[in-house]
Amino acid sequence: MNKLERFVYDKLKHNAALKIRVRDFYQGIMDLVPQKSFSTPNEFIAREGFFFGFHDKIPFSDNDEYLAALKAPRFLRMPKKGEAISIGYFSGDNWSEFKEVAKTKAWNWHQGCMLQWLGRKQILVYNDIDKDRIVSKSIDVLNGNVAEFSDPVASASYDGSIGIGYDFRRVEEYMSGYGYNHGKSENLDSPIPKTSYLYGINFSSGKRFNIISLEEVVNFNNSANTENYYHWLSHVIFSPDGKRVLFMLRWVKSRESQGTRWSRLFAVNIDGTGLYEFPCNGMVSHIGWRNNQEVIAYCRIDGVGDNYYIMKDMINGHFELIGPQYFKSDGHPSFSFSGRFMITDSYPDRFRQQRLSLYDYDRNSCIDLGKFYHHKKFTSSLGNHIACDLHPRWNRSGTYICFDSVYSGKRSLVTMDLREFVESDSKYI
């Protein structure tokens, strides 16, 4: 994003409908310039017809042997109620062989079905629909054993013992494309329903327990007059040690103003104590843990603006600006387990190119891993969230990444070997 584009973005960021119209007009003019489908010196393997979902989950199994995936349907629109997709995993050399293990009716293009591995076991957990109820299920990919849980999950702890969830039906009502148009939500028309919770599920016992209510989060240190706005909880991520949960509170003024929303960022203990709000000013987009104490977020901080920041949990007002000379716009960041390397992407630029970047935190250095073309037919609009963000994700050993792409004109699940970069400091000299 250049200076002019950033200026226009800042002027239009509170008017989503106009911002989209300007974006489409601008990119439409630039479509006259021929573009490469991809540009990268690095080898990669694309699995056409597959995708995974969001950037905050690891599709690789504990030993990096398996790569979880969803088989993309042929249609290019929002899923209709009752439409199922296949769940499975790749194995073999370079994750070349796909095996289907289940189907689900609870999915969307951006976050999939919240597919993820449970701890060190070869067990996948995912969301599904059972008689119009949104539930979660687990399946042992080796023996096919299935377990069902009463509520959906968004994130599983690294040891696989606990899942965290929220009201996915409410999310779909106020942020279409990130929840499920199934099931029931109590007091859906209420701005702040007292029955809405961030909750946990014990995968051993199957029991649900409430962590903290939506009402409590809204009222925490809240000086803004937003009680008549419509609030919901979303984007939860366990800390590496499983003791804390990072999550967002979001709100809109009305159903009709879905494109204009505000966000606050919190962390809380599993028992609901220790609620902490990070110093973001109404805008938080994409988040993750760097380690048990530090969080990465693209957000807005008073006096500094919209950038990537490292913030410390439970330390009031602490923030560290990350790579402002490299990152001029939003993306989907995640750190390797070592906490040294951050992988992130960008939204399609004026030429519909999505950038993939590797940032070295220790050296404050960054290299571009490549650019990938985002075909026009995948462009999202309000209420039609069909875009394909790269959403890059690390493997367990921090040597490969996996990302989704439509550079070929088809949705694909892509892997790229980064051992040359993460094992050799010479690339950053």
Side-chain angles (χ1 to χ4, degrees):
M1 188 182 295
N2 59 35
K3 291 182 178 180
L4 176 60
E5 291 166 347
R6 185 59 182 256
F7 175 80
V8 174
Y9 170 82
D10 287 340
K11 291 294 183 182
L12 299 181
K13 60 188 176 186
H14 295 303
N15 188 332
L18 180 57
K19 182 177 70 174
I20 288 173
R21 288 198 295 271
V22 171
R23 176 204 66 188
D24 291 346
F25 176 76
Y26 186 37
Q27 289 183 333
I29 293 175
M30 297 302 172
D31 284 340
L32 298 174
V33 181
Q35 293 294 310
K36 293 181 179 179
S37 59
F38 66 89
S39 176
T40 174
N42 306 303
E43 293 185 0
F44 62 88
I45 298 175
R47 299 154 190 83
E48 284 195 352
F50 295 89
F51 73 109
F52 179 75
F54 219 41
H55 70 108
D56 60 357
K57 292 170 183 61
I58 302 173
F60 297 90
S61 61
D62 178 69
N63 57 5
D64 285 333
E65 182 178 358
Y66 302 138
L67 174 64
L70 299 170
K71 192 171 184 179
R74 294 183 179 180
F75 59 76
L76 188 56
R77 53 167 170 76
M78 297 279 279
K80 295 180 180 179
K81 192 172 183 178
E83 287 184 324
I85 60 172
S86 298
I87 295 171
Y89 64 93
F90 285 91
S91 61
D93 292 341
N94 293 315
W95 305 284
S96 57
E97 301 172 11
F98 181 75
K99 180 179 180 180
E100 180 181 321
V101 296
K103 292 183 181 294
T104 178
K105 297 177 182 178
W107 65 279
N108 54 59
W109 290 112
H110 283 282
Q111 297 184 322
C113 59
M114 297 297 186
L115 185 64
Q116 54 203 294
W117 297 95
L118 287 188
R120 296 183 175 276
K121 301 177 182 178
Q122 308 308 313
I123 295 177
L124 285 169
V125 64
Y126 59 96
N127 293 331
D128 199 1
I129 305 299
D130 183 5
K131 299 178 181 178
D132 207 38
R133 290 174 50 250
I134 308 174
V135 299
S136 55
K137 295 179 179 178
S138 67
I139 182 167
D140 189 316
V141 301
L142 299 182
N143 59 32
N145 290 339
V146 176
E148 182 174 312
F149 307 96
S150 61
D151 296 274
V153 299
S155 180
S157 59
Y158 282 85
D159 65 3
S161 62
I162 297 174
I164 299 292
Y166 45 77
D167 189 340
F168 282 85
R169 180 65 185 86
R170 187 172 181 84
V171 172
E172 183 63 20
E173 187 72 15
Y174 298 107
M175 191 178 171
S176 177
Y178 289 82
Y180 312 128
N181 190 23
H182 298 270
K184 298 179 180 180
S185 175
E186 295 185 35
N187 301 317
L188 191 60
D189 295 327
S190 172
I192 311 172
K194 297 181 180 296
T195 53
S196 185
Y197 282 85
L198 187 70
Y199 58 81
I201 295 176
N202 185 305
F203 287 126
S204 294
S205 67
K207 293 183 178 180
R208 166 181 162 152
F209 57 95
N210 291 332
I211 297 174
I212 194 167
S213 70
L214 172 63
E215 183 180 36
E216 184 176 350
V217 177
V218 171
N219 292 332
F220 184 79
N221 291 339
N222 187 12
S223 59
N225 184 22
T226 64
E227 63 267 19
N228 293 322
Y229 288 36
Y230 295 85
H231 298 74
W232 68 93
L233 303 173
S234 69
H235 291 70
V236 301
I237 312 174
F238 269 100
S239 61
D241 63 8
K243 295 179 180 180
R244 300 277 285 172
V245 177
L246 187 66
F247 68 96
M248 289 188 199
L249 168 71
R250 287 186 152 169
W251 67 97
V252 292
K253 193 171 184 178
S254 67
R255 285 183 173 88
E256 292 72 30
S257 62
Q258 277 199 25
T260 303
R261 60 178 175 267
W262 297 266
S263 306
R264 298 165 66 187
L265 182 61
F266 294 88
V268 68
N269 293 325
I270 295 299
D271 63 2
T273 62
L275 183 65
Y276 173 75
E277 181 173 6
F278 293 88
C280 309
N281 183 26
M283 194 288 287
V284 187
S285 58
H286 302 106
I287 58 176
W289 291 93
R290 179 171 177 250
N291 51 47
N292 291 321
Q293 291 78 40
E294 294 180 317
V295 165
I296 175 69
Y298 190 88
C299 64
R300 181 175 304 141
I301 291 183
D302 280 339
V304 188
D306 298 1
N307 292 285
Y308 282 123
Y309 297 94
I310 293 287
M311 297 176 285
K312 290 189 177 181
D313 187 19
M314 300 295 286
I315 298 181
N316 290 328
H318 177 275
F319 65 86
E320 176 188 351
L321 192 59
I322 297 297
Q325 68 271 46
Y326 305 118
F327 306 114
K328 306 299 182 182
S329 59
D330 195 2
H332 303 87
S334 61
F335 271 94
S336 61
F337 278 89
S338 70
R340 176 176 175 179
F341 295 102
M342 183 182 84
I343 192 77
T344 192
D345 61 354
S346 71
Y347 287 107
D349 63 15
R350 64 179 81 83
F351 299 112
R352 303 187 191 276
Q353 295 286 348
Q354 296 168 290
R355 185 179 65 174
L356 186 66
S357 301
L358 179 68
Y359 177 73
D360 185 336
Y361 177 85
D362 289 355
R363 293 180 178 269
N364 186 27
S365 300
C366 184
I367 58 172
D368 283 343
L369 297 173
K371 291 184 178 181
F372 297 84
Y373 187 65
H374 188 269
H375 282 260
K376 182 178 180 179
K377 65 181 179 179
F378 292 95
T379 302
S380 285
S381 58
L382 288 178
N384 189 39
H385 297 281
I386 58 173
C388 181
D389 300 329
L390 297 182
H391 289 158
R393 305 158 290 253
W394 290 97
N395 72 339
R396 305 285 175 163
S397 58
T399 54
Y400 279 79
I401 57 168
C402 165
F403 57 95
D404 300 330
S405 179
V406 292
Y407 76 91
S408 68
K410 296 182 180 179
R411 206 172 292 259
S412 300
L413 184 65
V414 184
T415 51
M416 182 181 288
D417 187 345
L418 296 191
R419 285 176 292 182
E420 176 185 1
F421 305 104
V422 297
E423 293 181 357
S424 174
D425 287 345
S426 63
K427 290 292 178 181
Y428 299 91
I429 296 175

